[in-house]
Structures are given as C-alpha cells and as structure tokens.
Amino acid sequence: MPNPSRLLLPVALLTGALGGDAVPAAASAAATMPAVHAAARKPAVFGPAVLHALNQVRRHYHLPTVSADRRMSRAAYLHSHDMAHNHYFAHGAWSGRVARSAGEPHSMGEVLGWLTRASARQEAAWLVRSWLASPPHRAVLLNGNFRRVGIGRADGKFDRTPAAVYTVDFATPR
C-alpha cells in the first residue's frame, strides 16, 4: 500500500461561506500545473466514499450528517472537470455556481483539493484529513448548519502524476 504522505501532493485550497471573505491559498497550484488530461467522472464510487468520510467526522463532532444533492454534485463535477481541462486550481465564481445549484441557500461553503489518484476510500480519507488540518477548511466541514453537499471529482495529470481534482460544495437546507 502506498505511503499517504508521498501520495498527497501540495494542496492549495480556498474556502468561503456566503457573507464571508474567501480565504487566500498559501500557494497557487495554477501557476505550476502542467497539462491536465480530460476528466472522467466516477460518482458511483468516489462521491459516496467522500460523503461517508465527511459524515463520519461530523458524527464524531455530534453534528448532523450531510446528504448528497444531485444538482450540487453535477455543478461540483463540472467545476472539477473545468479545472482539470483548463489547467487551473481555483474557486472562481464559486458563490454564484453553488447558489444556483443549491437553490439559493441561506449559507454555503466550498473546499477544493487535488491529490494523486488512489482508491476511493484512500482519497476520501486523505482529503478529509487534510481539510481538517486547515482551520478555514475545518470550519466549512464542521459547520453544523450545512445539510446538503455536492461532490465532484475529475481525473487529470500534474507533473505526469495521475491526479484527482475535487470540488465539494456545502449548503443549508432550502
């Protein structure tokens, strides 16, 4: 089994919530990304693994679980695919995208990540662990108001290494 510390590539993550400022990334991956191959969506395996990992953590902190939202997941996938296909790593106009897909929620948040490809369970565990280690991302994951989530994953290559690009959007109930 591969060593997770070797598989997890530098992750430049941004996060935000409606009414709050976006938190700048420590480093921009967009400037150093080489060509990324077209994405392939694998929602039947990877989305449920990330949802399970998120809900395990939320239960641990006595928070309500989040439910997968098909429209939000489609928008999250399209954003991940766009990043992989157009060689960048950034939120872009995330608040409008999430608001449209979530039906104009009261509050929302987004986390991004990329890492070398692995099994669905390994990717989910490594992503959630990385986000929990970052205070701004932790705040999004552990926001008790969020009830719905959209999970998108696209495949690409960074520095000739097979990579997975994730967008995970959170929203309050409609």
Side-chain angles (χ1 to χ4, degrees), residues 28-123:
S28 173
T32 60
M33 268 192 210
V36 179
H37 295 290
R41 191 165 53 149
K42 297 184 171 113
V45 177
F46 289 92
V50 173
L51 180 64
H52 178 75
L54 289 171
N55 281 330
Q56 275 188 310
V57 167
R58 290 176 67 88
R59 279 190 292 275
H60 176 78
Y61 287 95
H62 307 288
L63 296 170
T65 59
V66 289
S67 299
D69 181 289
R70 191 169 18 133
R71 280 183 59 197
M72 289 176 62
S73 290
R74 174 78 176 145
Y77 162 71
L78 290 172
H79 184 63
S80 289
H81 179 270
D82 189 57
M83 287 190 290
H85 185 74
N86 291 302
H87 319 296
Y88 72 95
F89 185 72
H91 288 279
W94 75 273
S95 60
R97 174 177 35 81
V98 176
R100 282 186 302 279
S101 68
E104 304 298 329
H106 179 263
S107 62
M108 58 193 168
E110 177 173 89
V111 293
L112 304 177
W114 66 271
L115 65 156
T116 54
R117 284 185 259 168
S119 72
R121 196 170 119 198
Q122 288 173 323
E123 285 185 16

Side-chain angles (χ1 to χ4, degrees), residues 132-148:
L132 287 173
S134 163
H137 302 96
R138 182 183 183 89
V140 173
L141 269 61
L142 300 181
N143 182 325
N145 294 322
F146 294 143
R147 298 292 192 281
R148 294 181 299 130

